[in-house]
Amino acid sequence: MDTSEAIHPDRVGPIIVQEAWGTIGKALALEHMNGVYVCRGERASLAFVFLSEKMFRMKLFMGKDLDLSTTVAVLPRENEPLEATVEETDSAWKLSSGRLVLEIEKKSSALSVFDLEERLVARQNNISWNPRGAIHSVYDMPGDSHFYGLGEKASFLDKRGERYTMWNTDVYAPHMPEIEALYESIPLLIHMHGSSSYGIFLDNPGRTDFDMRSHGIAYTIGCSTGDYDIYFVYGPDLKEVVRDYTGLTGRIALPPKWALGYHQSRYSYMDQNEVLHLARTFREKEIPCDVIYLDIHYMDEYRVFTFDPVRFPDPEAMMSELKALGIRIVPIVDPGVKKDPKYAVYRQGVEKGHFSRKLEGDLFFGDVWPGTSAFPDFTDDTASEWWGNLHKYYTDLGIPGIWNDMNEPAVFNSSKTMDLDVMHGNNGNPKTHEELHNLYGMLMSKATYEGLKRNMDGQRPFVLTRAGYSGIQRYAAVWTGDNRSFWEHMALAMPMVLNMGLSGLAFAGPDIGGFAHHTSAELLVRWTQMGVLFPYCRNHSSIGTLRQEPWSFGPEIESILREYIGLRYRWMPHLYNLFHEASENGLPPMRPLILEYQDDPNVTNLCDQFLVGSDVLAAPIYRPDTEHRAVYLPEGEWIDYWTGEVIQGGRHILAHAPLSIMPLYIKSGAVIAEGGIKLYADDRTDETLTLRVYGAKARPGFKASYSLYEDDGSSFDYVSGVSSLIRFELRGGEDELELSYRYERRGYAANRNLLRFALVCTAFKPSEIEGLNELTEDEADHGQEGWYIDTQTGGLTIQVQDMSQGAVFKLKG
Ligand code: MIG
């Protein structure tokens, strides 16, 4: 006999339920209280807060209570919100903040944002919601719209025509154009049209979506749970959007210099001997390397905070030999803690209540590497602090960095993650995992970063993470997860990491050479050539794949790789400078051309070439058996890095690039700070510095300038002023040049006596430099002050004592 279940609604076939989507309806009143403007609508209200002249927050709320707390993504505000000027007309309220006018239409509650020239910047036509809490908003998408940001996504740079979901997901084979959700969720959409741009950041760590595909002349932003809480960040320059968005959610912590070096990883270096052998090989072969990673096999049956006693019988001995070689270890730490009552971390976690649990009190268990595992509840500060402190286990061994993997969190089950009904403690404001999912990985890395920092005696920690949410940049570098050794994935790493850079993730990069599948000699060369100019530079590969350490394909390949890795180290002062800039203003070291040439229609979706800083243009070869490619050089004069040839920009050229060449161009007038090549970045025995100026011209109007930031590259002393800032300038006159440098601040004493200025790719030859002698090569080698023409580059080199008071030199033609 059947029961009534026979007519269960789910069984009787599709019933079409007309979903009742609600809207705000008319805007009835505008109230102002404590810097918050509340627009009361028929069925819901909108709260507006002006955070600056060109940035405001808008939150939808129902009922009476307005909660203006934020997620941890948003930094605490130091300034009071701005007062706007309010004007009411028959049809609208207009709120002006100084740079923007926000218009709320009374009849529909639609919202328009205008600039001071009364040009429409953005328009939100509609917000609606369904009874289950999903919210959906519709924005204008003019014909000339381009979209950027959105963090870690596959496909091209410009996201017009795409649709994405924000839901941190461990997909194996993830880097496909149709994949909507990856490991990281950065719900920041940057919209550029006409000559202006703005960003919309939806601060909601639940599932959110951005659709620039399905609605013709509109794009939509939605969330399936939680708040519709957006930040509108006006440019008009893309750079300003990036600067202000990172002002809101934070910028990268200045990394230790060693973290900018070359990193070597493998799933897994299986034992202590293999690790030591690897380190020695790097040194014997004189290939620079700063870090070796330990993947999951270092642990005792995948218990985090342990070493396997057989494979790694003496971690102390291993660490001390590595230290002598200048190589650091970064071990993997996953969030899953093995369910094992004899294992201290598990026991403590249970006893102290630090693991994630259901509302009813049961722990949530999921299967990961160690088998059944519990997962810390990082939303509670006490649990995070506990977790952070556990890292003393590593710091005591001299381990300064941690690699957080599987922190989406990834779980081996059908949902691929933690049960959505897990009830996170959230510091006394409990929320479901469904609502907080995208925060899990970030909170883990935050706990890790802070724990390391507490235990590192003033040294800067390094954390690498796979999962994250807006703000993750404050705690960790991000790698792009399990790519494969496909040429397509090499190419795709460019737009992916470029958009990550526009989304605050300035310190990011892919597994060089590809993680899964088998690399080839050629792919490894091409990928490394490209990868050494990415912010984060690690070669990593999966178990069972062909080896891809730099020497895996014989001496010829090895020497090309050595040269490119060496280039990264030679450019380290410049790179570090760019990272410092990123930590101050959020601009990423690796940039899409559109960031520097926003008015150039040729670069709106250009992403098979990129800039390092503003003046170095790399155009990697990303197809097999290919020695030529088209390169677009934007306006201005460019110099081929390899040949010194001067090329007029504003056009496409055909570059010739045999295997040992990655096309590389330097903007004329650019300056690059270089050091000597070292085997590890943190080697401070000789901090030689050369400021290399490209394409100097002895004529009025020419000017090259550069500011170089320096500090010890490893401690937090810079916070209290132990750093230097050198300002350098080269000005052209009638057949002469004036070179000057000056310390704007000299709190850090670099280990060098000489400063070198090298003028390369220039027609200028001095007849005389006031106060300096022309040197023989021998005198130059012995560190005398003076100038000489470098026989190799044909360039002019001037070397002088590095003086606190700076100096000025007149170069006569
Ligand atoms: O694939 O720890 O993305 O870098 O080597 C399973 C083993 C788990 C995924 C990471 C990868 C790492 C691997 N991990």
Side-chain angles (χ1 to χ4, degrees):
M1 278 274 268
D2 279 345
T3 65
S4 315
E5 206 195 349
I7 50 167
H8 188 292
D10 291 352
R11 283 212 194 156
V12 291
I15 298 182
I16 293 156
V17 182
Q18 200 62 48
E19 285 215 317
W21 284 79
T23 57
I24 300 177
K26 286 188 191 133
L28 305 174
L30 185 75
E31 296 160 16
H32 179 208
M33 37 196 182
N34 311 324
V36 184
Y37 295 85
V38 175
C39 171
R40 302 274 174 205
E42 283 181 283
R43 291 174 286 272
S45 304
L46 288 172
F48 298 91
V49 182
F50 289 92
L51 302 168
S52 77
E53 291 195 321
K54 54 198 191 79
M55 179 157 62
F56 65 87
R57 178 180 180 190
M58 180 184 85
K59 189 170 177 180
L60 175 74
F61 71 106
M62 325 261 166
K64 288 206 190 73
D65 294 331
L66 170 61
D67 171 10
L68 281 178
S69 59
T70 71
T71 71
V72 57
V74 175
L75 292 173
R77 302 291 305 172
E78 285 158 13
N79 312 330
E80 291 295 308
L82 248 65
E83 302 270 317
T85 333
V86 181
E87 187 196 326
E88 183 176 355
T89 67
D90 286 349
S91 57
W93 283 282
K94 291 182 185 176
L95 282 66
S96 334
S97 63
R99 291 284 302 276
L100 292 176
V101 179
L102 184 70
E103 188 177 303
I104 311 166
E105 281 167 37
K106 291 184 177 172
K107 67 172 194 302
S108 61
S109 299
L111 221 75
S112 301
V113 180
F114 297 93
D115 65 12
L116 291 186
E117 278 82 53
E118 290 175 33
R119 277 181 303 227
L120 183 66
V121 175
R123 184 176 157 85
Q124 181 188 261
N125 289 297
N126 180 276
I127 309 181
S128 55
W129 57 88
N130 74 6
R132 270 170 289 280
I135 303 172
H136 189 79
S137 59
V138 181
Y139 290 84
D140 272 9
M141 183 168 86
D144 63 345
S145 291
H146 303 281
F147 294 96
Y148 308 106
L150 296 170
E152 181 189 62
K153 297 295 177 198
S155 212
F156 292 93
L157 185 71
D158 183 351
K159 300 307 190 191
R160 189 183 170 107
E162 304 287 352
R163 181 190 186 284
Y164 294 104
T165 301
M166 299 297 167
W167 184 255
N168 290 357
T169 312
D170 171 24
V171 223
Y172 190 68
H175 294 122
M176 305 302 277
E178 83 270 31
I179 296 277
E180 294 191 356
L182 275 164
Y183 313 95
E184 294 273 326
S185 292
I186 312 295
L188 166 74
L189 178 69
I190 302 176
H191 181 197
M192 180 180 97
H193 65 99
S195 54
S196 81
S197 68
Y198 66 88
I200 292 188
F201 166 49
L202 171 57
D203 187 15
N204 178 328
R207 187 185 288 270
T208 58
D209 58 81
F210 295 80
D211 190 346
M212 291 71 63
R213 174 189 297 154
S214 322
H215 306 283
I217 54 168
Y219 72 88
T220 63
I221 298 181
C223 53
S224 59
T225 178
D227 291 321
Y228 186 72
D229 186 2
I230 66 153
Y231 292 79
F232 186 93
V233 186
Y234 177 55
D237 292 354
L238 288 166
K239 280 189 175 173
E240 289 175 73
V241 176
V242 177
R243 201 175 293 144
D244 289 351
Y245 166 74
T246 54
L248 186 70
T249 60
R251 294 164 179 145
I252 60 166
L254 185 61
K257 229 177 212 178
W258 61 263
L260 307 192
Y262 172 83
H263 299 201
Q264 183 65 50
S265 185
R266 171 97 178 158
Y267 170 29
S268 298
Y269 293 121
M270 288 300 203
D271 58 40
Q272 190 167 329
N273 286 332
E274 191 180 359
V275 171
L276 287 172
H277 180 70
L278 182 77
R280 290 177 203 131
T281 310
F282 271 103
R283 292 304 175 248
E284 274 155 26
K285 293 182 172 292
E286 299 191 352
I287 299 174
C289 176
D290 269 271
V291 190
I292 293 174
Y293 284 66
L294 301 183
D295 208 324
I296 51 175
H297 291 94
Y298 81 88
M299 293 177 273
D300 180 12
E301 296 180 313
Y302 311 119
R303 288 175 186 83
V304 283
F305 310 100
T306 67
F307 272 95
D308 182 280
V310 179
R311 294 189 178 126
F312 289 83
D314 194 351
E316 282 87 0
M318 177 182 81
M319 291 304 297
S320 85
E321 180 172 348
L322 290 173
K323 187 171 183 192
L325 295 173
I327 288 188
R328 279 153 170 103
I329 286 289
V330 172
I332 199 166
V333 174
D334 293 352
V337 175
K338 187 177 178 63
K339 181 176 188 224
D340 168 6
K342 287 189 293 199
Y343 166 38
V345 177
Y346 177 72
R347 237 175 42 216
Q348 273 179 26
V350 174
E351 283 164 8
K352 298 186 177 164
H354 292 325
F355 290 127
S356 304
R357 52 182 73 237
K358 299 286 178 89
L359 178 63
E360 297 74 13
D362 310 338
L363 289 196
F364 165 76
F365 289 109
D367 264 358
V368 269
W369 305 121
T372 307
S373 303
F375 293 77
D377 186 357
F378 297 111
T379 69
D380 259 332
D381 289 349
T382 45
S384 279
E385 215 175 295
W386 166 69
W387 186 262
N389 289 343
L390 291 172
H391 289 78
K392 191 162 183 317
Y393 176 78
Y394 297 111
T395 53
D396 280 352
L397 280 165
I399 289 174
I402 294 290
W403 169 19
N404 285 158
D405 186 23
M406 306 288 279
N407 53 344
E408 293 71 28
V411 180
F412 305 151
N413 63 15
S414 59
S415 79
K416 296 188 171 149
T417 192
M418 186 177 269
D419 291 353
L420 300 187
D421 61 349
V422 160
M423 201 61 162
H424 289 295
N426 201 30
N427 293 324
N429 175 21
K431 291 211 161 143
T432 59
H433 186 71
E434 185 183 6
E435 293 163 286
L436 298 183
H437 174 76
N438 290 337
L439 274 180
Y440 192 85
M442 163 158 162
L443 291 174
M444 177 182 186
S445 291
K446 176 175 186 282
T448 305
Y449 180 84
E450 289 169 352
L452 289 172
K453 191 172 172 186
R454 283 196 293 278
N455 284 299
M456 279 175 61
D457 207 15
Q459 296 295 299
R460 298 176 215 167
F462 168 72
V463 178
L464 177 69
T465 186
R466 196 169 70 174
Y469 181 69
S470 294
I472 181 65
Q473 65 270 14
R474 312 194 300 256
Y475 311 108
V478 176
W479 101 102
T480 60
D482 296 343
N483 62 7
R484 289 181 267 175
S485 300
F486 297 170
W487 288 93
E488 291 81 353
H489 285 190
M490 175 192 162
L492 174 149
M494 287 184 266
M496 181 177 276
V497 176
L498 288 170
N499 269 321
M500 290 168 84
L502 297 180
S503 312
L505 311 178
F507 195 4
D511 285 344
I512 292 172
F515 175 68
H517 195 58
H518 306 284
T519 202
S520 65
E522 197 190 353
L523 179 60
L524 184 63
V525 167
R526 293 310 197 182
W527 203 322
T528 308
Q529 290 172 335
M530 172 181 94
V532 297
L533 295 182
F534 272 50
Y536 175 62
C537 178
R538 180 180 74 156
N539 171 319
H540 180 49
S541 56
S542 184
I543 200 161
T545 63
L546 281 188
R547 304 297 297 212
Q548 60 187 46
E549 289 78 13
W551 46 85
S552 302
F553 294 95
E556 217 178 295
I557 299 295
E558 180 187 318
S559 73
I560 301 177
L561 299 182
R562 181 187 295 102
E563 183 179 346
Y564 279 84
I565 295 170
L567 176 67
R568 184 176 178 92
Y569 281 76
R570 194 144 44 74
W571 280 359
M572 191 57 75
H574 182 57
L575 206 59
Y576 189 62
N577 204 37
L578 291 171
F579 269 80
H580 176 253
E581 213 182 309
S583 74
E584 297 262 295
N585 65 19
L587 292 183
M590 177 187 179
R591 303 177 188 168
L593 276 75
I594 189 72
L595 195 61
E596 297 288 339
Y597 300 92
Q598 192 168 329
D599 298 330
D600 185 341
N602 293 304
V603 303
T604 55
N605 201 6
L606 188 62
C607 52
D608 64 352
Q609 48 183 88
F610 60 90
L611 297 168
V612 180
S614 49
D615 298 328
V616 173
L617 188 154
I621 300 285
Y622 54 92
R623 294 176 68 82
D625 305 315
T626 301
E627 288 200 355
H628 292 87
R629 63 160 287 175
V631 177
Y632 180 69
L633 297 175
E635 56 164 30
E637 189 181 282
W638 294 83
I639 293 166
D640 182 315
Y641 176 80
W642 303 105
T643 63
E645 187 195 345
V646 176
I647 310 168
Q648 275 314 314
R651 66 195 177 105
H652 289 84
I653 59 164
L654 187 66
H656 181 218
L659 192 60
S660 64
I661 297 291
M662 171 180 64
L664 199 55
Y665 306 87
I666 316 278
K667 188 113 196 219
S668 196
V671 181
I672 296 183
E674 296 185 4
I677 297 185
K678 298 170 176 181
L679 290 180
Y680 55 102
D682 191 35
D683 176 358
R684 266 174 271 165
T685 45
D686 173 14
E687 294 180 279
T688 306
L689 182 68
T690 303
L691 292 169
R692 197 175 293 276
V693 190
Y694 286 82
K697 292 190 178 60
R699 61 164 191 238
F702 173 82
K703 185 177 152 188
S705 60
Y706 192 81
S707 290
L708 179 72
Y709 170 87
E710 291 184 298
D711 63 19
D712 65 21
S714 67
S715 79
F716 281 100
D717 292 354
Y718 72 93
V719 175
S720 46
V722 186
S723 70
S724 297
L725 197 62
I726 314 177
R727 172 94 192 148
F728 160 80
E729 242 176 50
L730 185 67
R731 282 174 179 278
E734 215 50 80
D735 200 29
E736 61 177 24
L737 287 162
E738 184 184 276
L739 182 154
S740 65
Y741 77 93
R742 137 178 93 81
Y743 278 87
E744 293 188 347
R745 183 168 78 235
R746 197 175 199 185
Y748 172 69
N751 191 7
R752 63 166 172 256
N753 299 317
L754 291 177
L755 272 185
R756 269 193 208 105
F757 304 95
L759 277 52
V760 296
C761 307
T762 175
F764 179 78
K765 295 268 167 336
S767 60
E768 189 201 340
I769 299 182
E770 270 173 30
L772 289 178
N773 295 329
E774 187 170 356
L775 303 176
T776 64
E777 252 176 84
D778 199 45
E779 288 167 333
D781 286 348
H782 284 85
Q784 291 196 29
E785 268 199 323
W787 61 274
Y788 59 95
I789 300 294
D790 189 310
T791 44
Q792 267 178 8
T793 63
L796 162 68
T797 304
I798 300 169
Q799 65 184 24
V800 294
Q801 296 298 315
D802 184 355
M803 312 279 266
S804 292
Q805 67 270 33
V808 182
F809 303 98
K810 291 223 181 301
L811 287 56
K812 299 240 147 66

